[in-house]
Amino acid sequence: MPKIVDEQMREATRQRILRVAAAEFARLGFEQANINAIAEQAGIGKGTIYLYFENKRTLFVEMLRAIAQVHLQEIRTALSEGGSLRERLKRLFLTFVRLAEQDSDSFHVFMSALYGVNRLFQQEATALLREYVVAIARLLEEGQARGEIAVQELETSALLVLTATESYVLAARVLGSSPAALARQAEVVAGFILNGLQSPAT
């Protein structure tokens, strides 16, 4: 078998393991999840998983990093496209709505590492979360340069924006809001955020 095909198959298997692991860790938490069960659900031998990940902890950390990379790319895409600060904040909110719906296991397992049953990994998750804050801080810096907002503390403001979008989506879903209902709230949420960031009158 050509080396490139072999590498592609190996990466496909690795990604499959990470997806299955996210579902298992989201459902049971780190302590209760079983690495052999993850291997079985991924369609590989129980011992084979150790060719990809040294142990369950390594698997969890790699899964967190993979989730954060995907989410960070989605965030950067939402924020890098043109438009006013309000429009970009709206896209950020809608990105979290979509991630929570289409990639709910990954979304919830990452949040659980920050605040829930998987807090054993809070330090790793926090380091990844800081990258989200940096991306949002850059957006706010641009908005400030264009006169759309006037803030004193960019990092603090970026953290508030992240909380007002990502955590709002999570809480609203727990309360039973559908993705369609959340999408309809995007404009209102973006407006609240701008007001909170001391947006000057237009």
Side-chain angles (χ1 to χ4, degrees):
M1 180 181 297
K3 184 177 179 181
I4 190 167
V5 174
D6 188 51
E7 289 175 356
Q8 288 172 346
M9 289 178 62
R10 180 176 172 80
E11 181 59 22
T13 300
R14 183 177 179 278
Q15 291 302 320
R16 187 166 67 252
I17 294 169
L18 291 173
R19 284 194 301 273
V20 169
E24 192 74 357
F25 288 130
R27 187 171 67 88
L28 297 175
F30 176 79
E31 296 294 344
Q32 297 300 316
N34 184 288
I35 197 165
N36 290 332
I38 291 170
E40 185 176 344
Q41 291 171 42
I44 61 174
K46 293 179 180 179
T48 306
I49 198 167
Y50 294 105
L51 298 175
Y52 294 85
F53 304 97
E54 183 179 351
N55 51 44
K56 186 165 74 166
R57 182 181 180 86
T58 302
L59 171 58
F60 194 97
V61 171
E62 288 299 312
M63 178 205 62
L64 273 185
R65 288 175 181 158
I67 291 168
Q69 286 173 1
V70 170
H71 289 190
L72 188 58
Q73 183 57 49
E74 296 279 350
I75 290 168
R76 285 173 173 158
T77 298
L79 300 182
S80 66
E81 295 173 359
S84 67
L85 181 58
R86 178 188 290 267
E87 290 166 339
R88 293 160 91 182
L89 288 171
K90 182 178 175 182
R91 285 200 304 268
L92 176 66
F93 181 81
L94 291 172
T95 295
F96 285 128
V97 171
R98 184 170 46 76
L99 287 171
E101 172 64 16
Q102 296 177 1
D103 200 11
S104 61
D105 289 333
S106 295
F107 188 84
H108 286 101
V109 79
F110 187 76
M111 295 298 279
S112 76
L114 289 167
Y115 312 115
V117 296
N118 294 311
R119 279 178 291 178
L120 176 65
F121 298 91
Q122 190 174 50
Q123 184 175 352
E124 288 91 345
T126 300
L128 297 168
L129 184 67
R130 290 187 191 284
E131 295 188 47
Y132 294 16
V133 174
V134 168
I136 296 171
R138 288 194 188 111
L139 169 72
L140 299 182
E141 191 171 26
E142 291 174 18
Q144 184 153 278
R146 292 197 303 262
E148 294 176 278
I149 54 171
V151 296
Q152 299 299 316
E153 297 288 340
L154 278 175
E155 186 172 326
T156 299
S157 299
L159 183 56
L160 285 169
V161 170
L162 179 63
T163 302
T165 50
E166 185 177 44
S167 297
Y168 180 94
V169 169
L170 180 63
R173 282 176 56 84
V174 168
L175 291 172
S177 293
S178 69
L182 280 168
R184 289 193 296 271
Q185 296 167 19
E187 187 69 38
V188 173
V189 171
F192 278 137
I193 292 171
L194 281 176
N195 287 337
L197 293 173
Q198 305 169 17
S199 180
T202 54

